[in-house]
Amino acid sequence: MDISLSQIKGIGPARLKAFQAAGINTVRELVMFLPREYRDLTHTVPLCELKAGDTAAVRVRVAGEVSERRARRLVITKVYVTDDTDTIPVIWYNQPWLKKQMPQGRELLLYGKAEHKQGYVSLISPTVESDAGMVPVYRSIPGIPAKALRQSVEAALKLCEGQWPDELPEALRRRHGLCERNFAMRNAHFPDSPEALEAARRRIAFEELLLYQIALRLFRSTGRKGVQIDFDDGALEAFWSRLPFAPTGAQRRVLGEVAADLRSEKAMARMVQGDVGSGKTAIAFAAIALAHAGGWQSALMAPTEVLARQHYEGAKQLLEPLGVRVGLLVGSLTPKQHRLAHEAIAAGEWDLAIGTHALITEGVAYRNLGLVVTDEQHRFGVRQRTLLSEKGDAPNVLVMSATPIPRTLSLILYGDLDISIVDELPPGRTPVQTRIVPETKREGLYGFLRREVAQGRQAYFVCPLVEESEAVEALPAEAVYEDLRTNRLPELRIELVHGRMKPADKDAALERFRTGEADILVSTTVIEVGVNVPNATVMVIENAERFGLAQLHQLRGRVGRGAHESWCFLMAEPNTRLKFLTSTTDGFKIAQKDMELRGPGELFGTRQSGTLTAGIGTLAGDTELLKLTHDEARALMAEPDSPDARAVIELARERFADRLRDVAIN
Ligand code: ADP
Ligand code: MG
């Protein structure tokens, strides 16, 4: 099935290129490109039963003239539709061509989300469908229209059928009630029914998770020696005594685990997980102090320049008095500064290099790298963290993550890492008060903000990212910024940061907020990453329903870092999912709930799931499947010479051979 895609009708040179750019080169890879979701058009809802918040299919006819109106950069197309049970408005943004397709009386099958608009339940930007059934929705590939993509997949499936034998041993398949491969692939793309889709997903996810875990085990069984670091116990106490506060019990315990790893002759490969604000930085700095006491260099990599600078300032205060010479290497340095930094690192004049991914560019060579720390690791690809550790000779690796992950899942995703959990917050924090604010209460929120700012406090506004295709409805950061500045809070100092700004402008805006020159920071989720502004006491999250619970919890952690009472306002209509967030501040409980509700893929976004194509993405919070595959992998590896185990191990090697290295730490 490693047939080139050019064999498929309709794929000419241009489309071939587009597919290749998306990493799809063969028929097999196209078949493995699974839908992101499905539009369930198997049943339609009568308009009179449609409620705000529902996503549904409706069968209607056009009941009036189409109207068109312009507002800022939006073209708003509106038409009334009816199915005799009721009549409702339908609204599209920036799709002016639809107007021509809506003569009065035309029958339409629409699929989309119902929302409250000016007192009415309306359908917002629904798709106009042609067939009933379950329709696959793929991640969009630039240069390939959705319909062409569907047709190519269909053709690829035809080519595969009968030619791609089921590779899982039959006994194993039977034992776990897994459907056959061809059935699974066909129904994963074009399900005959929701039940067939479920069976297909289960089969594909099972296979993927099983092979991945086998691959991890194969790697691990090779063992790994690494840099062994010796230091006096006094080094640890010297560090603690420098801290302006007493360490929490959790910090002490985790650092104990880290210290034991450093001393062992095996290379450390440990992830420290802890809620935002749990004090992971102190643990990282302590580990660096120990490495230094043992005579080794360290590197600390952060995902953004702002965060790197923040760590740099912290390290100068805490570590320099202990004799650790600290340097900063980030993209915005001048060429000359870059050269000097590279020289200082190579000569061992820096004991600690702090930076962004500039730390792993080709030119950087370390003198004796003994410890590598990556902060907020969920922001990095596994590949990047591997590259950094390759800069040394099997250095110790410590990764810090503020994404709490349910235990079952981390066993699988980070099977190659030992995990420590910082499950205690430093004393004296007042928990952030979380409230859901429906649209009708918005005015009150602005009054509250004015009072907070009058008392010298600061506030964040976070807006969801908007997909290109999604000519929107949700308030993008720019619109919120304009609205605040010109209408709502013109007397306040407001800054804007978003992903499409130049890094220098973005950093400058963040800096003005950090130093208190701005009262309000409006942003997309870029601030999710580690900004520390203790004076900020209010977090407003627009369109909160668009975020996962774990992500909302992370965002909320940006406030409540100082002595003042802090607030998080979720701008949305109340629902049980959001209410859960108002009821607890326990990150692990929230992660567990998020996984149950949205599937584990959402916890990581697509960034992380690159290694696991189908399994993680399609598992619907299925902890049972995680456990089943975990046990099966263990059982197979216990008897690696049985025919079934051999077949599966071979498959795992094939499937993950290239990726194995990326997955592996050190
Ligand atoms: P995160 O785990 O999110 O990286 P940080 O390391 O940034 O958290 O710590 C958050 C804040 O808590 C910092 O201002 C830090 O100085 C403070 N902090 C860390 N540990 C303690 C402690 N044991 N007692 C009091 N404050 C602490
Ligand atoms: Mg941190």
Side-chain angles (χ1 to χ4, degrees), residues 280-281 375-376:
K280 295 184 294 294
T281 312
D375 194 17
E376 305 287 350

Side-chain angles (χ1 to χ4, degrees), residues 62 64-70 75-80 89-92 95-96 98-99 102:
V62 178
E65 291 282 308
V66 179
S67 72
E68 192 175 275
R69 163 171 92 74
R70 276 162 204 280
V75 182
I76 303 171
T77 307
K78 179 170 166 182
V79 69
Y80 282 87
V90 182
I91 296 166
W92 286 276
Q95 301 183 55
L98 283 173
K99 191 173 169 187
M102 309 279 162

Side-chain angles (χ1 to χ4, degrees), residues 55-205:
T55 298
V58 298
R59 213 173 263 291
V60 295
R61 62 179 189 279
V62 178
E65 291 282 308
V66 179
S67 72
E68 192 175 275
R69 163 171 92 74
R70 276 162 204 280
R72 286 205 205 96
R73 274 179 285 161
L74 290 181
V75 182
I76 303 171
T77 307
K78 179 170 166 182
V79 69
Y80 282 87
V81 299
T82 183
D83 66 352
D84 297 328
T85 71
D86 205 351
T87 302
I88 65 162
V90 182
I91 296 166
W92 286 276
Y93 299 93
N94 288 347
Q95 301 183 55
W97 59 87
L98 283 173
K99 191 173 169 187
K100 289 205 197 64
Q101 301 173 15
M102 309 279 162
Q104 260 204 44
R106 157 85 46 101
E107 304 255 342
L108 295 171
L109 177 57
L110 300 176
Y111 180 87
K113 185 160 185 199
E115 288 180 24
H116 263 295
K117 276 274 157 191
Q118 292 143 7
Y120 295 96
V121 172
S122 318
L123 266 184
I124 307 298
S125 297
T127 50
V128 182
E129 303 288 340
S130 44
D131 317 308
M134 303 274 287
V135 178
V137 181
Y138 297 92
R139 177 162 60 76
S140 65
I141 299 180
I144 314 233
K147 195 164 164 208
L149 179 56
R150 278 209 285 274
Q151 286 166 348
S152 302
V153 170
E154 213 165 344
L157 279 170
K158 283 236 170 63
L159 274 175
C160 285
E161 217 130 300
Q163 290 195 50
W164 191 1
D166 202 322
E167 292 153 308
L168 280 190
E170 194 166 327
L172 187 146
R173 206 159 59 67
R174 293 261 150 80
R175 195 155 62 239
H176 296 286
L178 302 172
C179 70
E180 227 246 309
R181 143 60 92 17
N182 277 321
F183 177 90
M185 292 324 292
R186 188 159 22 87
N187 278 280
H189 289 284
F190 305 105
D192 292 332
S193 66
E195 294 74 32
L197 172 61
E198 197 38 50
R201 277 180 158 170
R202 185 162 182 280
R203 150 74 205 231
I204 295 168

